[in-house]
Amino acid sequence: MNAAVPLIIDSTPAVERLRTHLQPVPSFDAIPRDFTLAAKGDFQLNPGFTPLRAGPLNPAAVLVPVVAYEDGERVILTKRTAHLSNHAGQISFPGGRVDAEDPDVIATALRETEEEIGLDRSHISVLGALDAYVTGTGFAVVPVVGLVRPGFALSLAQHEVAEVFEVPFGFLMDPRNHQRHKGVFNGVERQWWAMPYRDYYIWGATAGMLRNLHDLLAKGPDA
């Protein structure tokens, strides 16, 4: 066996919990367009939340890529380039807004993942989804969780993605690593989740989605 190629595990306790607890990926029509009708989002820590942009929410999707290695599951994350006008330098999942040509939410997540980091969809098995997450910038983002088979090659979109890295799934799901931070944006105090890992500051919507995933997995089997 080539030691440079990690062993993939298709079924672990964590992967089985994902399969059991995640909901089906919603249709486009089921994505909320009004933030007051959404179940999850920046408003979870900010009761007076209002999106910065007025009007209907823009539908979007991200992929939460989970790789089950022999020594444990890891999540693939990206660091955005510093020159972008929105979310420069932030940690995020691969993903983006829905295009008119996308037949469904899964197609959006897989297309954006291929465009941003070159991860071919043939290596991804979709496990399910989380509730759409409403961001302060006016997006309703559906986190699509996928199990990634190793042996893939990555090719980063250099204008958009500065770096790709992996974080242990157990670290991200451990509430001891979940911190509540606050600051002032546009004259309004905001709170957000943060999960600092080594030199990476995972925060905002990305950390909020991971916190929601933790909360979902922490529920009992009948919850």
Side-chain angles (χ1 to χ4, degrees):
M1 179 181 293
N2 186 346
V5 179
L7 177 65
I8 185 67
I9 308 295
D10 289 324
S11 180
T12 69
V15 171
E16 290 309 310
R17 284 188 67 78
L18 287 169
R19 287 194 172 105
T20 300
H21 287 69
L22 290 169
Q23 60 191 359
V25 179
S27 66
F28 286 141
D29 292 341
I31 301 175
R33 299 302 198 272
D34 184 334
F35 82 92
T36 64
L37 302 178
K40 306 293 183 182
D42 287 348
F43 55 80
Q44 290 173 266
L45 295 182
N46 300 280
F49 167 89
T50 301
L52 297 176
R53 182 186 56 79
L57 299 171
N58 288 317
V62 296
L63 183 73
V64 182
V66 179
V67 189
Y69 296 116
E70 187 174 21
D71 60 349
E73 302 82 8
R74 300 179 73 85
V75 176
I76 300 172
L77 290 168
T78 73
K79 183 176 182 180
R80 295 168 64 85
T81 54
H83 70 272
L84 293 175
S85 56
N86 293 317
H87 311 297
Q90 291 188 11
I91 306 302
S92 64
F93 297 114
R97 70 173 65 219
V98 169
D99 279 356
E101 295 78 13
D102 294 333
D104 53 34
V105 176
I106 293 175
T108 300
L110 297 182
R111 173 184 56 77
E112 287 283 345
T113 298
E114 287 178 331
E115 292 175 359
E116 290 184 14
I117 64 174
L119 176 55
D120 191 274
R121 65 187 64 196
S122 64
H123 287 270
I124 303 168
S125 175
V126 173
L127 301 176
L130 295 167
D131 285 321
Y133 187 100
V134 176
T135 69
T137 51
F139 285 87
V141 184
V142 177
V144 177
V145 182
L147 184 64
V148 181
R149 179 170 52 84
F152 55 84
L154 300 182
S155 177
L156 308 188
Q158 299 295 333
H159 66 285
E160 189 171 355
V161 179
E163 183 181 355
V164 173
F165 62 99
E166 296 181 355
V167 181
F169 184 74
F171 174 92
L172 295 170
M173 294 297 103
D174 188 339
R176 293 173 296 183
N177 299 321
H178 300 176
Q179 304 173 12
R180 287 178 64 158
H181 293 181
K182 64 181 179 180
V184 177
F185 294 91
N186 297 318
V188 178
E189 183 176 285
R190 299 288 191 192
Q191 294 191 54
W192 61 86
W193 288 109
M195 303 172 186
Y197 176 73
R198 296 182 177 174
D199 295 331
Y200 301 105
Y201 185 59
I202 305 166
W203 72 292
T206 301
M209 294 175 200
L210 288 167
R211 174 68 184 193
N212 289 339
L213 179 57
H214 160 269
D215 292 347
L216 182 67
L217 295 181
K219 294 179 179 179
D222 299 324

